[in-house]
């Protein structure tokens, strides 16, 4: 028979583990969210993020909280000699946090590092062709999202994306959409939705749009960038870019897809339609 001392010790261990894993992180984040948002950070957002001044005050306050949590938990690493500045950190965090506004979020809890290169970076990949032959290939990338807790970004592309927040191309939105996609355990274009029943309609709408984009002649112009035809995961990331940067066009030409993304992100970027280009990046 297990002694009362052993049982008591076991329950204490369980309680402490639960506190450390679940309660303490929430309390810590709550304290961070309630901090006063630095004036210099708001100045960066006003000057460099075009949509910021169009956000409702309540949305701004929520965004501030997310940014503060993000910057307290993620480590930024400069690569190839790049010195990471406060401005870079705030600009990247703000755009990443746009994706978690108005909805339950673990604040990218699986993400730990953001690596920033000055410009496109080269990666070597082992690929296998249809005959089973293996070879090494080099690729120059603008950004990359890993399921091991890393996002890699080219700063010149981040700067271009924030400079023109209405052209449907944004490397930060793209790579962090991949991070959300992977919260389900696999990066396949189906992120964690709110109800079990939502997956059927999500799959139907996104599969139809994905196949339509695949059939589209590359010479034809589309609201959704052709890169989205690569695979379902890339389609979700590209569609996210379009949703946030060209919501009016997406809602006109891809209403069902727009509605699915609106339901997922729980926000309507059309409310930010009075967007002008940033004065600085």
């Amino acid at each position: 028979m297990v002694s009362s001392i052993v049982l008591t010790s076991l329950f204490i261990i369980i309680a402490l583990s639960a506190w450390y894993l679940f309660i303490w992180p929430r309390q810590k984040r709550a304290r961070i969210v309630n901090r006063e948002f630095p004036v210099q950070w708001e100045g960066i957002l006003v000057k460099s993020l075009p949509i910021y001044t169009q956000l409702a005050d309540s949305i701004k306050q929520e965004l501030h909280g997310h940014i503060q949590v993000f910057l307290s938990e993620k480590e930024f690493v400069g690569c190839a000699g790049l010195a990471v500045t406060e401005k870079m950190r705030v600009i990247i965090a703000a755009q990443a946090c746009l994706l978690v506004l108005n909805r339950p979020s673990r604040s990218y809890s699986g993400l730990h590092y953001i690596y920033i290169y000055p410009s496109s970076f080269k990666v070597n990949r082992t690929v296998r062709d249809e005959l089973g032959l293996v070879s090494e290939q080099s690729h120059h990338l603008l950004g990359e999202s890993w399921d091991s807790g890393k996002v890699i970004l080219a700063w010149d592309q981040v700067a271009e994306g924030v400079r023109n927040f209405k052209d449907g191309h944004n490397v930060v939105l793209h790579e962090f959409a991949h991070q959300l996609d992977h919260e389900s355990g696999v990066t396949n274009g189906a992120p964690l939705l709110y109800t079990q029943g939502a997956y059927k309609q999500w799959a139907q709408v996104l599969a139809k749009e994905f196949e339509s984009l695949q059939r589209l002649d590359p010479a034809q112009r589309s609201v959704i960038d052709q890169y989205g035809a690569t695979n379902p995961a890339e389609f979700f990331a590209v569609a996210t870019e379009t949703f946030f940067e060209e919501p009016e066009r997406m809602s006109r030409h891809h209403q069902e897809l727009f509605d699915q993304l609106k339901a997922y992100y729980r926000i309507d970027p059309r409310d930010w339609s009075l967007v002008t280009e940033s004065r600085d990046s």
Side-chain angles (χ1 to χ4, degrees):
M1 186 172 181
V2 181
S3 70
S4 60
I5 295 178
V6 173
L7 282 175
T8 300
S9 300
L10 180 61
F11 280 115
I12 290 174
I13 292 172
I14 292 173
L16 288 174
S17 298
W19 179 85
Y20 181 78
L21 292 173
F22 303 106
I23 299 174
W24 181 76
R26 291 181 182 178
Q27 292 178 341
K28 180 183 177 183
R29 286 180 175 179
R31 290 194 296 270
I32 293 171
V33 166
N34 290 326
R35 292 175 185 168
E36 184 175 356
F37 195 70
V39 174
Q40 64 269 26
W41 291 6
E42 184 158 19
I44 291 170
L45 296 177
V46 169
K47 192 174 183 180
S48 301
L49 185 63
I51 64 166
Y52 178 75
T53 57
Q54 308 303 326
L55 302 179
D57 288 343
S58 60
I59 295 295
K60 286 181 182 177
Q61 290 303 311
E62 185 184 354
L63 182 62
H64 291 173
H66 282 302
I67 291 171
Q68 294 192 102
V69 170
F70 189 99
L71 292 180
S72 72
E73 294 182 346
K74 318 306 178 189
E75 182 176 348
F76 288 73
V77 180
C79 303
L82 180 69
V84 177
T85 66
E86 182 178 60
K87 178 180 175 181
M88 292 176 180
R89 296 170 71 246
V90 171
I91 286 175
I92 290 171
Q95 293 177 90
C97 291
L98 288 174
L99 305 186
V100 295
L101 289 171
N102 276 359
R103 64 191 196 83
S105 169
R106 293 182 293 175
S107 299
Y108 303 107
S109 59
L111 174 66
H112 306 293
Y113 299 98
I114 295 96
Y115 294 89
I116 312 174
Y117 283 83
S119 58
S120 64
F121 50 94
K122 187 174 74 170
V123 297
N124 296 319
R125 294 277 167 74
T126 300
V127 297
R128 186 186 301 271
D129 64 18
E130 62 274 11
L131 299 177
L133 298 176
V134 176
S135 62
E136 287 286 331
Q137 293 185 1
S138 295
H139 301 271
H140 286 271
L141 302 179
L142 307 179
E144 192 168 41
S145 174
W146 293 10
D147 57 17
S148 57
K150 302 174 184 176
V151 164
I152 309 173
L153 301 167
W155 174 249
D156 61 350
Q157 295 303 307
V158 175
E160 177 59 29
V162 77
R163 183 181 298 115
N164 185 1
F165 204 88
K166 55 184 179 180
D167 64 353
H169 299 286
N170 187 295
V171 68
V172 177
L173 298 182
H174 185 104
E175 301 306 336
F176 280 88
H178 282 315
Q179 285 289 309
L180 295 179
D181 190 1
H182 189 71
E183 286 182 349
S184 64
V186 58
T187 309
N188 60 359
L192 287 176
L193 302 181
Y194 307 110
T195 65
Q196 190 65 33
Y199 285 95
K200 181 178 180 180
Q201 189 173 16
W202 176 276
Q204 289 175 341
V205 172
L206 269 76
K208 182 179 71 173
E209 292 281 0
F210 173 62
E211 291 168 3
S212 177
L213 187 61
Q214 284 190 311
R215 292 193 301 268
L216 189 68
D217 185 333
Q220 292 180 269
R221 297 193 64 183
S222 171
V223 177
I224 303 171
D225 190 271
Q226 189 66 34
Y227 186 65
T230 305
N231 57 53
E234 295 299 347
F235 181 80
F236 170 63
V238 169
T240 293
E241 294 177 78
T242 310
F243 175 75
F244 278 94
E245 292 211 350
E246 296 191 277
E248 295 284 355
R249 290 185 67 204
M250 177 180 265
S251 64
R252 287 198 304 270
H253 299 285
H254 302 272
Q255 183 66 57
E256 288 184 313
L257 177 60
F258 180 86
D259 289 343
Q260 287 296 308
L261 293 171
K262 180 182 173 184
Y264 172 67
Y265 285 114
R266 292 187 172 180
I267 206 157
D268 190 340
R270 291 176 296 186
D271 296 336
W272 314 332
S273 58
L274 299 177
V275 173
T276 58
E277 292 190 357
S278 67
R279 289 166 283 172
D280 181 37
S281 60

